[in-house]
Amino acid sequence: MKPFGYVAAKDSGHAVALLAEYGKGAKVLAGGTDLLADLKNSPHPPPDVMVDISRAADLKGIALTDAGLRIGALTTHTEIVDSPLIADTLPALAEAAVVIGAVQTRNLGTIGGNLMTCVPSMDSGPTLLALDAQVTILGPSGRRTIPLSELFVGPRRTSLGFAELLVEIVIPKKNVGKPSAFQKFGLRKGQALALVNAAAGFWGGDGVFAEPAIALGAVAPTVIRAPKAEAWLAGRPISEEAMAEAGRIAATEAKPITDFRASAEYRLDLIAVLVKRALAGAHARVTPNQKDLAS
């Protein structure tokens, strides 16, 4: 690895100040599981300085707030898997976190870092997108909040501006506890990039699909929602046939590529299967008092 400068940020505000000071020559270091590997293998020059945010306590933690479920950007995948609060309110995110890389990767890698890679196959993205997650961004001009979908621009491209930093992810209060599930298919069971991943959620206390949401990964330039499938499901009685049809419709909304890992046609078949499984997984989490949770 080629040499580079290094500074450690005390908190998020200090990190933004350092990013502004060093400008385009600075890179953010969180868990480092992607960045350091890229630095070792990249033919391009390293950044002038690495801004280490790993000690910023205000970027950590999982908590319920008035706005919803807050997850600090520096929360590791292992912390998500082990969190009783996540298990109670957002088990689909734990399902996604536990299949990210190896144990060492999950111990160091952060949810914010996973989102900021902006690769279409990210495992954290579909569940958060299906639950209408918001992200808070801090920059020289202050804080702003945007839908997670607006963070994703393209492969490895985000909408963050100059010296801006992702500080937290918030699941809106109305979706905290919404039954949801995550599915992933890779070439092997461990340490595999997704050929396709999918998340789905809905309220179902009255026996119909209420506010259904479906998100897909690895089948477009960014993680995407499947609005046509969602609209088709809304208000229909819950059944396996409806889940299967929603999967088929979702496949028509994707634009997968053919590469050395799988053909586009195979990925389209996987979408239909995984969406059906994710909807079934969400249905298994429906509870009789679900209508009260939604309100």
Side-chain angles (χ1 to χ4, degrees):
M1 188 184 297
K2 297 176 183 178
F4 52 81
Y6 172 90
V7 289
K10 295 177 289 187
D11 54 33
S12 59
H14 187 212
V16 168
L18 290 170
L19 290 171
E21 177 183 349
Y22 290 102
K24 294 182 179 180
K27 277 272 192 182
V28 173
L29 173 65
T33 54
D34 279 316
L35 179 58
L36 294 180
D38 288 345
L39 286 176
K40 288 180 180 179
N41 301 312
S42 175
H44 304 295
D48 295 333
V49 63
M50 201 76 74
V51 179
D52 183 356
I53 62 171
S54 63
R55 296 177 179 83
D58 62 331
L59 296 177
K60 302 179 181 181
I62 303 169
L64 284 171
T65 70
D66 291 340
L69 180 65
R70 176 200 179 270
I71 305 173
L74 283 184
T75 303
T76 67
H77 306 301
T78 294
E79 288 169 337
I80 289 170
V81 171
D82 292 343
S83 167
L85 186 54
I86 294 289
D88 288 342
T89 61
L90 192 55
L93 190 59
E95 289 174 338
V98 78
V99 296
I100 293 176
V103 172
Q104 297 92 327
T105 303
R106 295 192 290 273
N107 286 345
L108 288 172
T110 65
I111 188 169
N114 193 235
L115 296 175
M116 287 299 297
T117 62
C118 228
V119 295
S121 59
M122 71 174 74
D123 291 318
S124 298
T127 299
L128 293 172
L129 198 63
L131 294 174
D132 298 321
Q134 306 273 313
V135 292
T136 303
I137 296 163
L138 180 65
S141 299
R143 297 168 73 94
R144 62 187 180 97
T145 300
I146 61 172
L148 175 62
S149 59
E150 294 182 11
L151 179 69
F152 305 141
V153 174
R156 296 193 176 274
R157 293 176 56 220
T158 75
S159 61
L160 260 61
F162 173 74
E164 286 192 322
L165 184 71
L166 173 64
V167 297
E168 65 184 13
I169 302 98
V170 177
I171 308 300
K173 189 174 182 179
K174 69 182 182 71
N175 284 338
V176 173
K178 186 175 186 178
S180 57
F182 173 82
Q183 288 285 320
K184 174 179 179 177
F185 188 90
L187 293 178
R188 55 184 182 268
K189 289 189 176 181
Q191 302 186 56
L193 291 176
L195 295 183
V196 175
N197 54 26
F202 61 91
W203 299 108
D206 291 329
V208 299
F209 291 99
E211 299 180 37
I214 298 168
L216 307 170
V219 295
T222 66
V223 179
I224 60 170
R225 288 280 288 265
K228 292 179 183 178
E230 294 170 358
W232 186 88
L233 272 181
R236 292 181 183 271
I238 297 171
S239 69
E240 288 190 11
E241 292 76 15
M243 295 177 192
E245 181 61 19
R248 288 189 286 268
I249 296 171
T252 69
E253 303 183 70
K255 296 180 180 179
I257 63 170
T258 293
D259 60 16
F260 68 94
R261 295 186 296 131
S263 68
E265 292 77 15
Y266 185 54
R267 286 186 164 100
L268 290 172
D269 287 343
L270 283 174
I271 292 169
V273 172
L274 295 188
V275 167
K276 180 183 177 182
R277 290 178 181 175
L279 287 166
H283 185 219
R285 291 175 172 143
V286 170
T287 58
N289 64 341
Q290 183 185 76
K291 192 172 181 181
D292 294 332
L293 285 171
S295 61

